[in-house]
Amino acid sequence: NYVDFFGDDYAENATALITTIRKTLGRQAWSPEAAIATLSHASSEDRPMVVERLTKEMISDPRRRIALNDLVAAETRNALDTLHDEDQFPRTLAGADDDEKIVGAAATAAKSWALVEPFCRSLRVATRWGTPDDLAPWATALRGLVGMANKPHSGNTIAVALLHLPGLACLMTTGVAAVWAGQYANLRVLAVDAKTAPKFEENRWPLVAATDLWTASDGNNVVANVLARSTAVGESPEESLQHFRTAGNGKYYTPVSEWLHAVLKPMFRDQFYDPEDFDLEFDRAEVLLGALATDFLIQEANRQDRSRSRHTGWFGRATWRSRNRPSDPLANFRSELKTEGASWAPLRSGLFGSDPDRAHQAFEKYGETFQAVAARQF
């Protein structure tokens, strides 16, 4: 069993070697204690790949279910403990002037991805290869991350809004993985069946409706733009802010979506050999999540006997990319639904209550705002 212990893949290869040795010795490949011990010795840079490798090793073996559950729980606790630490994720924007506060907020928000990347890598594997019955640990973790952002927090509104970024990164991870692999039942378990109480609401809502792209910026496009650009092009928040302060340098239409696209793309590199394929699946995931959130808001309005339902904020890159392009994910979903009816794969998996009419209504309602948002961006 030849293993390369040099270079960037050291941690992942070391984990694979340990698995092989334990199998050769006839031992259980990973006990809960061994999995957590291996993770505890991984550096912050290696941790995402170690978690992903361990998930791949354990998800298909029922004997390792306890170890896998402990692994997911450990990552969730680490993320939530860090988010609750106001020294690391402050609820106020310190600084002598607005520019300093913007840079500070963007720098803090950038840490969101490093915090949840290990969990997202595990979640991607679980969404692709797991079954709905396997997903309880990840669904519990998602409830915790999205629910944490919806709890009452005192402080600056933009700093509090940025607490939605970790949950959004997780939802987009499962969205892209599920849409690409056709794992719509897994998407239902993780984004729709899993629920939390959004801010100012008594009832629990599906996670996909309890957060969205616009909630994470609280209307402050400057911070979101600095975050998106500094991540996408690899420059400091100060440099990105100066870029936008320069006359003629326009901002992103949908900065939170741009940030998610930038941080998730490297994680999906082994699935998409053509970058444009990832771009398309990202758009499709964004649109489907938006339609699912809209479906819940319509049903909630009907339940409360309201004449109008609220709008979701799941409008991102897909809106501006749909203009003057041959592939429109919203139009494609609606065409598939019209052609296939009740046999459409998302309906057979329980999305939209398996009701074609309900799905048509959700896509129509979502599509109205989608087109309006796209028109405003140009």
Side-chain angles (χ1 to χ4, degrees), residues 184-185 288 333 336 340 343-352 354:
Y184 297 109
L288 185 56
F333 274 133
E336 292 171 9
E340 300 176 31
S343 63
W344 188 44
L347 291 180
R348 287 189 284 106
S349 299
L351 294 178
F352 304 100
S354 302

Side-chain angles (χ1 to χ4, degrees), residues 27-304:
R27 298 178 183 176
Q28 179 183 347
W30 287 104
S31 66
E33 296 78 14
I36 299 302
T38 299
L39 190 59
S40 67
H41 287 89
S43 67
S44 58
E45 293 80 10
D46 292 335
R47 192 181 184 95
M49 297 306 299
V50 171
V51 171
E52 181 174 354
R53 181 73 189 208
L54 289 172
T55 304
K56 289 178 179 178
E57 293 285 349
M58 293 187 284
I59 193 168
S60 61
D61 188 347
R63 296 172 301 171
R64 305 184 224 176
R65 191 62 47 81
I66 294 176
L68 183 54
N69 289 0
D70 285 353
L71 177 73
V72 175
E75 280 307 305
T76 308
R77 282 194 299 270
N78 177 64
L80 288 174
D81 287 347
T82 305
L83 286 170
H84 280 292
D85 183 351
E86 295 194 26
D87 289 333
Q88 298 189 64
F89 281 84
R91 310 297 190 255
T92 58
L93 302 181
D97 54 38
D98 287 343
D99 282 3
E100 190 174 347
K101 291 178 180 179
I102 290 168
V103 167
T108 298
K111 296 189 296 185
S112 297
W113 174 242
L115 181 63
V116 296
E117 183 185 359
F119 174 75
C120 284
R121 285 185 174 273
S122 177
L123 177 63
R124 180 179 75 108
V125 174
T127 303
R128 285 183 63 190
W129 304 112
T131 68
D133 291 339
D134 297 330
L135 299 178
W138 292 273
T140 299
L142 277 168
R143 279 197 296 270
L145 290 167
V146 176
M148 185 272 173
N150 279 289
K151 292 184 182 301
H153 297 280
S154 59
N156 181 276
T157 55
I158 182 58
V160 172
L162 291 171
L163 294 174
H164 283 268
L165 291 178
L168 284 171
C170 297
L171 285 173
M172 279 303 301
T173 294
T174 198
V176 174
V179 169
W180 179 82
Q183 292 279 32
Y184 297 109
N186 288 351
L187 180 62
R188 172 180 53 78
V189 169
L190 293 166
V192 179
D193 293 350
K195 295 179 172 64
T196 191
K199 203 174 296 183
F200 309 123
E201 295 290 339
E202 294 182 1
N203 298 323
R204 297 197 305 165
W205 289 17
L207 300 185
V208 72
T211 188
D212 57 51
L213 301 173
W214 293 96
T215 301
S217 66
D218 191 47
N220 192 317
N221 281 335
V222 178
V223 173
N225 270 276
V226 170
L227 171 65
R229 178 175 171 81
S230 62
T231 303
V233 306
E235 63 186 20
S236 69
E238 291 87 350
E239 291 171 323
S240 292
L241 180 58
Q242 183 58 39
H243 169 84
F244 293 121
R245 293 291 194 226
T246 302
N249 289 333
K251 298 176 182 177
Y252 294 109
Y253 295 123
T254 53
V256 174
S257 179
E258 296 294 342
W259 176 76
L260 288 169
H261 180 269
V263 296
L264 294 184
K265 194 167 189 173
M267 186 175 70
F268 282 91
R269 187 173 290 126
D270 65 334
Q271 286 181 231
F272 301 101
Y273 300 113
D274 184 343
E276 179 60 30
D277 290 341
F278 172 77
D279 296 346
L280 177 59
E281 294 304 315
F282 186 94
D283 291 347
R284 284 170 54 81
E286 197 174 75
V287 167
L288 185 56
L289 291 171
L292 289 169
T294 301
D295 173 58
F296 170 78
L297 294 174
I298 291 173
Q299 305 311 313
E300 183 71 1
N302 292 340
R303 186 183 69 82
Q304 297 188 13

